[in-house]
Structures are given as structure tokens and as C-alpha cells.
Amino acid sequence: MSADPGLTAAAPAAGGLRRSFSWRPRFGHLLALLAAVPMLALLALFIFLVLYAKPAMPIDGWHFLVRDTWNLGNLYADPVTVHGRQMLPGASYGILFLIVGTLASAALAVVFALPLAVLSALLLAELLKGIPAFLVSTLIELLAAVPSVVYGLWGYVFLIPFLDHHLYGFLEHRVGPWLPFFAGPRGSGYGLLTSAIVLAIMVVPLITATLRDGLAATPRELREAGRALGATGFESAWRVVLRGQRTVLFGATILALGRALGETMAVLMVSGNALNYLPHNIYAPISTMAAFIVSQLDSALQDPTGMALRALAEIALVLLVITVAVNLAARLLLQFYGRRK
Amino acid sequence: MSGAILRRRWQSALGWALAALAGMLLVGVLLHIMLFVLMRGGGALSLEMLLTDTQGVAGGLRNAITGSLLLSGLGLALGVPIGVGSGIYLAERRGSLNARVLSLVVDVLVGVPSIVLGYFGYVTLVLHLGWGFSLAAGALTLALLMLPYIARSTDLALRNLPTSLRESAYALGCGEGRLVMRILLPAAAGPVFTGILLAFAIGLGETAPLIYTADWSNYLWNGKFLHAPVGYLTYVIWSYIQEPFASAHQLAYAAALIIMLLVFALALGARLVLLKRYAPAA
Amino acid sequence: MKNTLSPSRFLRRTLIGVAAVAALGGAAAAQAAVQIQETGSSLLYPLFNLWVPDFAHTHPGVQISTASTGSGTGLSQSIAGLVQVGASDAYMSGAMMKQHPDMLNIPLAISSQMVNYNLPGLNGRHLKLSGPVLAGIYSGKITNWDDPQIRALNPGVALPNHVIIPVHRTDGSGDTFIFTQYLSFSTPWWNNKYAYGTSISWAPVQGGIGAEGNPGMVDAVKGNPYSVAYIGVSYKAQTEGAHLGEALLKNRAGNFVLPEVKTVKAAAAAMVPKTPADQRISLIYAPGKESYPIINYEYAVVKADQPNGQVAGELKTLLSWAVASTGGNAEKYMRQVNFVPLPANAAHQSLAQIAKIHG
């Protein structure tokens, strides 16, 4: 926007009309130029990842997605040539455990977040009024402003020992016998359930805020009609007002899922960084694609053939495709619904 | 009959109680995090910490505080023109194919995980362009991250202005540039500014895009944009809490407190700007 | 409407804010000191943090930043020219040296590695462990502390009937490098299946934990009863503070030894004479009755060709000071991190390599 002062200054009040013709196209050009930047940036990102990951793709092919075989190979052996490509002996890249860890933690997070978000949105839109509503909604929105790494810190120092002592023992012994996935051993507190709980806290405010705005925009007549039919306050809110916001809720939930899928630092600090195995129960260590890129980038750089760095680009590409697809689905859904209304 | 009504009243009360419980749980978690950071960070933070640089796992945070502000500040300086420009394009060319594509692009960019941007920045800027760990590499990566938020908030702010404003301006023979700069942007200044403040807060709180672009430095920024790593607060939190030294933990908690204060001040500031803007109308 | 900011005004304010911050940072630019960036090994990190304040005191013209990121990062970022000193417990591989022939692997001190465990009630005792048993644990073949193979090494010890939680490093790590070398050199099947490196493909042992850096390892063992981990000896104060057990390891001669100055020096005495001029050699599993099996050179991985003479000069001064017995290798530093100083002939070799650094 460095050109703004110049543009405005170039339009003295008297000559404004005439001048406007001369800089109208210039303004349009400038605008187009600025607007092109995000498009080019995204294009560059996609092209870069595809091109950079390409040499690593034939090594495992589709097995990249369905096997638990992440192995940089023998870093101290001489590289070998396979299909015309230099790589380390024993190198193979299979990230099923990362895909499962990412999807499971994000999905579980959304499952935890959903009831909390719906109830808190009802509270904010239907029950609280005036200052209390403002205060509570401000506080819940601040939850979204807490930096990821602070969630990681809090999770690492407070939440893990807290959950391990007060919740996981109960779950293991009381729920475990009924639901095998809750059975022990419950390990260290680092793992799938802890990651999902931290992620849930991080995404709740996103759903709450969107749903609250949707609820607040519902015409008052709808509520009054509900009440007139003899519904209690909560029944009217739940059955009439909330029902009208089903699509908004769905869209916001998918959006939250997208955020949880790409979350990095907090997960890195509480997930236990599992490698090459799938979680055998809900307490087991996991790793996610985003956290794995941070923790493996330095090791990958030691591969003299550069193949490991390219395999990380493959992970970044898979993560990008998943999050982008999820985000687009949510936005299109919300937009489609918005237009119909 | 009265039994059924009673049961429904009970259910209604139970529903509201659950809603209140959910609200209390969320507010409780926030307060716990705030208290946790405040107690531990408050005990660790001292004036000296603000005025000295990090030395190994001890010392102060001056280098990290200025580094955080520099990285996000420069990121904003790069991201605001592009973001606001894109936002204007979205709002003023709405309906055109280009704007629809741009809108999609902005949505996609919001969803790009920050570590993917960090990886991209590292391989392209730091390694291939040879910028090294630097302010420029960190700030540019952050700019890419902030950009879609600024664009979207500008777009929404301009969209919410009454059409009559545009119509009357055009009727008076006002050009588009003048309309946007003199009439629309001033009218939407509050929400646009809010978007910028929130983008600043997002940048300050980020870690993943910076680890491999800005790296870390124990010293104040030396004025170089390239080939000079920059320290920042979130690095201290992530890295130092895992060190087994008490002095390192103190720095991590103090850094967490400072970053929380900055981010909350920005978030609340953003809300206040909006309130001020809309208060007379309400 | 009156109190709304005009766009140019609020943008100006934003820019003024940015400029103010820039000016604040720019004030430091005036100092124009030489910057040396050190990153890498979390094992060398505490030593660098002892060195830097003392060195900076007598050399005010140089600013040294330190970071604990793991040897993998140290190696790769030094090769990429992103930092001046890559701290590493591991030397560069032959393939990497072929690609980057101007890299120097300069030993600064000799370190060793502990194997620690957290066995309630047994942490006060030194359990006996061997390469093959550790290989069994880390490959998932030995899963219980009460396993016959562990019992055979520790007759008379009431080993708990509990699942073993092996902890390994997730970051590229010199500790992983020397630990897996011990397993590889002592256990042929481990060498065939997993070999060694700063990052290896760990067997999927259920319940096994990955940790970041030595500090993360200490924390993980502390927080998880029945776990076992390999931890650099510069974290001995932390492992002792956490009351972790420390294992006696079986050496090549078949004796069980603890990492002590005596046993580390014995191993060094056997291996230092074999060190080639480029000093890239494993000191693991040294011969000798008293030799501790996991010792290593702590390397500064440095590019011989530095961007300018000023940086090269300061770097040479720093490294020469570091390897001198009157400087960085002095007893007062070494003792604090439980390192052993370089023997005279090794220090001599290091100096010869340092002399190759040029601007």
C-alpha cells in the first residue's frame, strides 16, 4: 500500500474528476497486481511441492500411503543407484502411521469439540444477554488466540500429568473392560487421547463463534413460534433454532477439522512422536504429518542424496492436499448454503 | 399431562445446565491457561530479563522480544499491502471470474498448515535462494501466512458497506481509486484494522514457520535482512522448556507470559476497535 | 464516524510502529561484531554455554549464539553454510565427505554415553546390560524386565515383571549414532537389520517413546517407570537429580564398566592412536579390560572455506582456545559436563585441522 499516499495526494479536490480518469486504470492495475500475489504464491507452493517431491515418488509409489516403513536408510553407507536415482541403501518411505495419527487425532478432537461448541453457542446466543454474553464470548474467543506453542507448554507441563493421574486411570479401569480401545496399557500420558484433547480445546472456539453468529442471525419470530407451540426455552433453541443452523454447524465443524489436521507445535509437544507403528489403544503415542516434518527435517538433511528431504515434500504435499480439500469442502458448503438463503 | 410438562421443564433446565457447564468448562480452561502462564511466568519475569539478551540457557529475552516484533512487523509490512489490495479486489470485483478464483485461493491459503509454509520457505528461500537463516526469510514466510486473513477481513469489511455509498460516489463522477481510498476504506477502517491486528497476533504466536527460516540468535538483530538469524519468543518456549535447567524453564515461562500478553492485548484491542466502530449505531 | 481512522492514517501508524521496532533492533547493528552461530548436539550445548561467556569476556569483538538442536541439525546446517559451527557427536559420513570435501570434523573433547533406566526400587543399583540385550530391547525381541537374558546378566536381582519402555531420540542425534554403533559392533544381527546412524528406522516397539534431545530423554525416563534410555554424559547431573539408574555396560573384553574418567580414558588411550588425519573415526567398543564401550569425539563440524577472513580468524581463535588444555579443555569445564579432555596427540591433530580454516 506504499503507493496510497501518492495516489490520494495526486487528486486535489478541484481537479479530482478529470484526474480520476487518468489514474483509474492505474488503480485497477495496481489492484490486479496485488491480487495476483496470493494466486501466484499458492501456485508456486503447489508446483514446488509436486516438482520437489517427484523424484521420491517412484521409490515407494502408492505404498508411501499404506505402509509403516519410514526409514532414511543407512546414513553412513555409500549411496546406491536404484532406477537411475541415487539413494541410501535401505531407504524407504511409508507414512501410514502418520496419516492414521493425523486423521485419528483430528477426528477425535472434533468429536470432543462438537458437543462443547454446540452447548456453548446455545448458551451465548440463546441464554446469556448483554454484558455476560459479551464477556463469556470474548473469553471463549481468546481461547482461539492462545498460541499453539503455549498450548504445547501447558499440555506438556500441566495437562499430561493431570490427565494421566485423574482421567486415564479411570478410563483404563472403568471404560477399558467395555471398550477394548480404552484398555491399557496406558503408557506415559503422551499420545492420541492427549493430542486430541489439546486439539479439541484449540478448535472449539472456531465452531462456537461461527455457530453463535448463525444462531444470533435466526429471526426472532422462529423462536416465538416455537414457544407459541408450547416448546420450552431449551426445546425451542435445540429443536427449532439449532436445527436451522445444521449446515452452518456442519461447515464450521469441517473447518475445525482442517485446522486440527494441520496443527503442529502443540501436537509435537504432547503426541509422544511414534514412529512406524499404529496406535493400539487410545493412550498410545502417535505422530502427525505436520509434527513429523518439524522433527525429521534435520535428519533428512543428512541424507547426501537429498532423497529424504524430497520424501518430506511428499508428506507436505499429502498434508496440503488433505487440508485444502477439507477446507474447500467446508467453505463451499457454507457458501452454497449462504447463497440459497 | 402435568407430569409430561414437568418432565419437559426438567429436560429444558438440564439442557441449559449442560450449556452453562460447557461454557464454564471453556472459560475455566482459558483461565487455567492464563493463570498457569501468569503464575509461572510472573514469578520468572524481571525487568532485567526485558533489558538483557539470552546467554545460553540463562539471561534475558530482549533479543527474542524485539525479534518477534520485527519478524511479525516486517511480515505485516509485506502482508498488509498485498492482503488489503486483494481484499479490495475481492469486494470490488465480486462476481467476476478472477475474484471468484481469488476467493477460492484465499480460502485455500487459510487452510495451508503453517509447517508446510515453513518447509517451503526453508527449501526455497533459505537453501535455494541462499538467504540463509534470516529476518527476510522468516518475515516473508509469515507474510504468506497472514495474507489470507487480512484479505478476507478487508473483503468482508468492504462488503458490509451500504451499496448506496458506492452508487452516490459513482453518481458524483468519482473514479474507482478515489472511491476506494477516500470513501470505502475510511468507512471500513475499523474492521480492516481489526483484521490487521488479528493477523499480527497470529504472526506473533507462530513457531512452526520460523524454526527453519529465522532459526535463533542470542543477540539483538544486527540490521541485516539476509544471512543473520533472528531470535523470537515462541522458540524460547518450545526449545527451553525441554532443557533440564531451571534458568531455561524460567525463560520459557517468561516468554510465554510476554507472548500471551501481546497476543491478548491485540485480540482485545481488535474487539475494542470494532466496538468503538459500532457502538453509536447500537 | 468522526473517530474512525482514515486508511492512510492507520497504515502510517502501523508502519511507524514497525519502523520503531526496526530502529530498536538496528541500534545493535552499530556494534558490527563478528557473529558466530553454533547449533547442534545437545550434548555439547552445556559445554558451549560454559565456554561462551568466558571466551566472550576476553574477545569482545565476537558474538557467539548457541542452540541445542541435535547433531543432525548441526551437521546439515554447517554443510549448508547456515551456521559456522555445527556441533555433533557424530562425524560426517564418507558419502557426505565426497560431496563436501571442504568440511572439517574437528574433535573438541571426548564424551561418553550412559544407559539409564527407571526401575522403581532398583535405581540405586547398577544393573548389568550388554549390547545384545539392549539390541533385543530396542528391536522388541526382549519386552519384559524379567526376561531370561536380563536375568542371566543380573543374577540375584529381583527384576520386575513389567513391560520395558524403550526410549529413543526422534531428532537426528549423535547419541543415536554412537548408541546404535555400540549395538552394531557388538551384535551382528542388529548391524544387518538396523545398522547405525544419527537417525535410524526404529523397530515398532509397542509403548516405545520418542523424545527430543537429551533433555527430552531425561524427562521421558523420569516420567515413565520401567523405561530405558541412552543419555549423553553431560546430562549426568540431571539423571542423578532424577534418581535414575545407570547401567554397567559390557565392553569388548567382556567386563562390565560404568562411564567414569578412568574407563573413558582407557578407551580413548586404545583408540586415539588409530585416529586418521581427518579425525573421522568411531571410538565405540574399544579393546581393553577397563575400556568403557560408548565413548566418542565431540566434533565441531566446520567449513574450511569461510565467507570472509574476519569470520575465519575469529573461528580459528575460538576453536584453538577450545581445544587448548589451558583454554576450553581445562579441567574446570570438562568436569562440569563429565567430559574427558582431548589427549595431547588428538589436540594436536585438531589444531592441524583448525589451521585449514581460511577466509
Side-chain angles (χ1 to χ4, degrees), chain B residues 56-57 66 69 73 80 126 132-133 181 185-186 189 192-193 196 215-222 229 240 242-245, chain C residues 3-5 7 10-11 18 21-22 24-25 28-29 35 37 45 49 63-68 77 82 212 215-216 235 238:
Chain B
V57 289
T66 49
L69 293 173
V80 164
V126 175
F133 294 129
M181 299 312 296
L185 270 187
V192 171
F193 193 52
I196 293 175
D215 199 32
W216 166 251
S217 167
N218 283 350
Y219 299 92
L220 279 179
W221 180 54
N222 63 1
Y240 282 27
Q242 302 186 40
E243 294 292 335
F245 309 103
Chain C
N3 56 4
T4 33
L5 290 162
F10 82 67
L11 284 173
V18 171
V21 174
L24 197 61
Q35 285 209 326
Q37 188 84 3
Y45 182 63
N49 282 335
Q63 295 187 336
I64 305 166
S65 271
T66 55
S68 168
Q77 296 189 351
L82 299 174
E212 288 267 328
Y235 286 78
Q238 281 73 38

Side-chain angles (χ1 to χ4, degrees), chain A residues 34-46 320 323-325 327-328 331, chain B residues 82-83 86 101-117 120 141-152 202 206:
Chain A
L34 290 174
V37 174
M39 303 204 212
L40 292 176
L42 185 67
L43 204 63
L45 179 64
F46 259 109
L320 185 62
T323 48
V324 162
N327 256 286
L328 279 184
R331 303 275 173 179
Chain B
I82 300 169
S86 304
V101 172
L102 179 61
S103 179
L104 202 69
V105 164
V106 167
D107 286 346
V108 168
L109 273 179
V110 169
V112 174
S114 60
I115 181 60
V116 172
L117 293 178
F120 178 59
T141 309
L142 276 188
L144 208 52
L145 185 110
M146 299 171 174
L147 198 159
Y149 293 96
I150 302 171
R152 186 53 79 203
I202 288 171
E206 272 297 347

